[in-house]
């Protein structure tokens, strides 16, 4: 009986949950570049405010301060933005599970937060 074919290639995680189709919109790119939470903030800005904030971000991306953003600097920024989101999400999850706020998550706290058991 044939077994299910396994993919042996390690794929990079997606940079956004949104569809990557630049012909339709740039939502995927915004999430990848800014991080999902920051992209939501930018959606609420006027074009002038957005341009000003992006200018400040580009200054941060240009690590060698030569006035240009290299491919490597852009890759580093995107990795930074994604890691920042992951760390913030882990912190939110931890706070949601540490019900007595003692810095530790007991099995009872985990069950309560995850499955809704009463302590």
């Amino acid at each position: 009986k044939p077994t299910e074919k396994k993919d042996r290639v390690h794929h990079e995680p997606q940079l956004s949950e949104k569809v990557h189709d630049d012909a339709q919109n740039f939502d995927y790119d915004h999430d990848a570049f800014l991080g999902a939470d920051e992209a939501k903030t930018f959606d609420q800005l006027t074009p002038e405010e957005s341009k000003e904030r992006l200018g400040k971000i580009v200054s941060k991306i240009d690590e060698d301060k030569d006035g240009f953003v290299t491919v490597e600097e852009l890759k580093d920024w995107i990795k930074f933005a994604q890691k920042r989101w992951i760390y913030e999400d882990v912190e939110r999850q931890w706070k949601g599970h540490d019900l007595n706020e003692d810095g530790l998550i007991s099995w009872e706290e985990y069950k309560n937060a995850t499955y809704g058991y009463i302590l």
Side-chain angles (χ1 to χ4, degrees), residues 4 35 45 52 57 63 84 86 88 91 95 107 117:
E4 182 180 324
L45 300 176
E52 182 181 332
I57 292 171
E63 292 176 0
R84 181 180 60 198
I86 290 168
E88 289 171 358
E91 185 66 26
K95 287 179 181 177
W107 178 242
Y117 293 129

Side-chain angles (χ1 to χ4, degrees), residues 37 81-97:
D37 290 340
Q82 294 303 304
K83 284 181 183 178
R84 181 180 60 198
W85 182 84
I86 290 168
Y87 291 139
E88 289 171 358
D89 188 51
V90 167
E91 185 66 26
R92 279 191 297 270
Q93 292 291 330
W94 187 271
K95 287 179 181 177
H97 285 75

Side-chain angles (χ1 to χ4, degrees), residues 3-40:
T3 59
E4 182 180 324
K5 183 179 177 181
K6 294 183 180 180
D7 189 359
R8 295 178 184 237
V9 177
H10 176 72
H11 297 280
E12 292 290 325
Q14 290 293 310
L15 298 174
S16 172
E17 298 295 321
K18 298 177 180 165
V19 176
H20 191 194
D21 183 5
D22 290 340
Q24 297 294 321
N25 61 52
F26 298 103
D27 291 342
Y28 179 93
D29 299 318
H30 289 176
D31 281 7
F33 184 75
L34 299 167
D37 290 340
E38 190 72 18
K40 289 177 190 172

Side-chain angles (χ1 to χ4, degrees), residues 51-118:
K51 185 176 179 179
E52 182 181 332
R53 285 202 188 177
L54 283 172
K56 290 176 182 176
I57 292 171
V58 169
S59 295
K60 292 178 185 178
I61 297 169
D62 182 18
E63 292 176 0
D64 60 9
K65 305 298 179 209
D66 66 353
F68 299 94
V69 174
T70 65
V71 171
E72 199 58 40
E73 288 171 328
L74 187 57
K75 284 181 182 179
D76 289 345
W77 174 261
I78 290 172
K79 287 177 187 176
F80 166 77
Q82 294 303 304
K83 284 181 183 178
R84 181 180 60 198
W85 182 84
I86 290 168
Y87 291 139
E88 289 171 358
D89 188 51
V90 167
E91 185 66 26
R92 279 191 297 270
Q93 292 291 330
W94 187 271
K95 287 179 181 177
H97 285 75
D98 185 14
L99 302 176
N100 65 2
E101 299 177 358
D102 66 352
L104 304 170
I105 299 174
S106 69
W107 178 242
E108 290 301 316
E109 286 175 307
Y110 178 80
K111 287 190 305 185
N112 189 17
T114 304
Y115 303 111
Y117 293 129
I118 306 281

